[in-house]
């Protein structure tokens, strides 16, 4: 089935990636792009990102940058993008700091003090909503909010949040991503910091969370971009792709960040993207159909994927390169494998089939 601007089986999750007869940059009016692991990693542009985004923009696609990273202000993010060769303005950037600030402002009176455990991006977002950031639980806050503060965040800030939460103050978090990609690898994200406070306070309360994949972030994005046919582009199944699923919009997963092919093949229904590509060049391409055959196999391009046995089987891949040879386009193989793996998992035949051999063959 060719999917054009809509989720196949949105309510229950898809069983194969979608296809698009037109390049994605033409099929959708706005790309809602995650940043870390999609556009840049550790401050440097991801390979092919600058050129692909430039071509998409020149063709008329609106680019918006949607990030769960609350550390920096939209101005700082836009400046960084521009330095990398991706021209952007502050209005093009939507952060989880903005989403959580709106969430807090809906709950407390204007002018209220809020204890901030995070960076300048969070402080600026709170001020934008008429709230007053403070640094101590002794400064009379009516709420406490956590956002990613960078690798140099002092341990004492988590203690300050713990004191406030233990006293019964409402607790908010910009996001709960456990990890964040960087130039040297994967590091702890704001979700790890939230867990520190949760443990210190006995795990008796939960924060209100604004960031992807939850509705407040989607609401903030729609309000600020005015997108009519958006495409979410991300590298994380549990934030970017699940957020698109929750918002009822299509998504493109790229393999330049934290998700690998093995994780994609094991994805639960709400974590299954509409489209799959190696990197942001996928925005410029039409997406091939994944065809379900009568024998239970799935075909994409020259590749056919199936499951060897109904229960406890393994994925089997047949393609033009022959056994043991490297394929010319592994993404078509991955798309076909998604169809076989997701359908087998949804059929309840012993969970996701083993993908180890076929992924080793593809070098993934």
């Amino acid at each position: 089935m060719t999917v054009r601007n809509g989720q196949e089986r949105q309510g229950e999750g898809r069983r194969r990636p979608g296809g698009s007869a037109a390049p994605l940059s033409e099929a959708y009016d706005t790309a809602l792009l995650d940043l870390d692991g999609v556009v840049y990693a550790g401050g440097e542009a991801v390979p092919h990102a600058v050129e692909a985004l430039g071509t998409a923009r020149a063709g008329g696609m609106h680019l918006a940058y949607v990030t769960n990273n609350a550390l920096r202000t939209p101005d700082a993010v836009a400046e960084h993008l521009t330095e990398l060769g991706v021209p952007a303005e502050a209005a093009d950037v939507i952060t989880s700091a903005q989403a959580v600030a709106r969430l807090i402002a809906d709950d407390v009176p204007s002018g209220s003090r809020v204890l901030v455990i995070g960076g300048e991006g969070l402080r600026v977002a709170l001020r934008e909503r008429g709230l007053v950031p403070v640094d101590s639980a002794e400064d009379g806050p009516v709420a406490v909010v956590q956002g990613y503060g960078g690798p140099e965040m002092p341990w004492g800030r988590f203690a300050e949040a713990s004191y406030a939460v233990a006293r019964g103050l409402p607790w908010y978090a910009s996001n709960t991503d456990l990890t964040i990609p960087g130039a040297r690898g994967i590091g702890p994200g704001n979700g790890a910091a939230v867990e520190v406070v949760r443990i210190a306070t006995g795990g008796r309360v939960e924060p209100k969370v604004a960031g992807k994949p939850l509705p407040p972030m989607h609401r903030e994005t729609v309000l600020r971009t005015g997108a009519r046919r958006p495409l979410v582009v991300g590298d994380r199944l549990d934030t970017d792709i699940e957020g698109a699923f929750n918002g009822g919009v299509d998504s493109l997963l790229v393999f330049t960040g934290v998700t690998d092919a093995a994780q994609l093949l094991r994805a639960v229904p709400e974590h299954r993207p509409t489209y799959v590509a190696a990197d942001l060049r996928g925005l410029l391409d039409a997406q091939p159909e994944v065809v379900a055959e009568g024998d239970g196999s799935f075909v994409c391009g020259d590749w056919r994927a199936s499951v060897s046995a109904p229960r406890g089987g393994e994925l089997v891949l047949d393609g033009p390169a022959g056994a043991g040879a490297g394929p010319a386009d592994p993404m078509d193989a991955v798309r076909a494998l998604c169809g076989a793996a997701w359908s087998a998992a949804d059929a309840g035949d012993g969970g996701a089939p083993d993908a180890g051999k076929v992924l080793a063959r593809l070098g993934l």
Side-chain angles (χ1 to χ4, degrees), residues 96-258:
S96 63
Q98 293 170 319
V100 77
R102 189 187 294 270
L103 190 63
I104 298 170
D106 287 344
D107 292 346
V108 305
S110 179
S112 295
R113 296 183 175 192
V114 178
L115 174 60
V116 176
I117 312 299
E120 185 63 16
L122 196 52
R123 294 174 180 274
V124 168
L126 290 169
R127 294 190 189 104
E128 184 183 70
R129 292 289 156 205
L131 302 170
V132 180
V134 297
D135 292 324
S136 171
E138 311 307 321
D139 291 337
V142 301
V144 55
V145 60
Q146 281 186 264
Y148 183 64
E152 307 304 321
M153 172 75 78
W155 191 255
R157 302 306 297 149
F158 305 138
E160 205 66 39
S162 300
Y163 304 149
V165 172
R167 294 174 187 177
L169 267 66
W171 181 22
Y172 298 83
S174 64
N175 67 298
T176 52
D177 297 31
L178 290 173
T179 61
I180 185 169
R184 297 174 58 196
I186 304 297
N190 190 56
V194 168
E195 287 302 309
V196 170
V197 175
R198 190 198 313 274
I199 292 168
T201 55
R204 293 183 293 273
V205 295
E206 294 287 333
K208 285 188 176 181
V209 183
K212 297 178 285 186
L214 298 174
M217 189 67 170
H218 183 72
R219 176 180 67 151
E220 191 72 22
T221 300
V222 170
L223 288 172
R224 290 181 180 266
T225 65
R228 298 178 61 116
R229 300 189 315 278
L231 177 69
V232 170
V233 184
D235 68 312
R236 300 186 71 107
L237 301 179
D238 59 349
T239 55
D240 305 314
I241 306 309
E242 185 177 342
F245 179 90
N246 291 339
V249 299
D250 288 357
S251 60
L252 168 66
L253 178 77
V254 293
F255 286 115
T256 50
V258 301

Side-chain angles (χ1 to χ4, degrees), residues 303 320-321 326-331:
W303 295 93
D329 183 2
M331 285 299 103

Side-chain angles (χ1 to χ4, degrees), residues 229-306:
R229 300 189 315 278
L231 177 69
V232 170
V233 184
D235 68 312
R236 300 186 71 107
L237 301 179
D238 59 349
T239 55
D240 305 314
I241 306 309
E242 185 177 342
F245 179 90
N246 291 339
V249 299
D250 288 357
S251 60
L252 168 66
L253 178 77
V254 293
F255 286 115
T256 50
V258 301
T259 299
D260 60 26
Q263 292 168 321
L264 176 63
L265 296 179
R266 295 194 302 267
V268 295
E270 61 269 27
H271 290 174
R272 296 171 185 170
T274 316
Y275 310 110
V276 179
D279 52 55
L280 285 177
R281 289 176 294 180
L283 282 174
L284 310 179
D285 298 329
Q287 296 293 307
E289 290 191 60
V290 178
V291 178
E293 299 288 339
D295 61 359
S297 65
F298 289 80
V299 174
C300 184
D302 294 324
W303 295 93
R304 180 185 298 270
S306 59

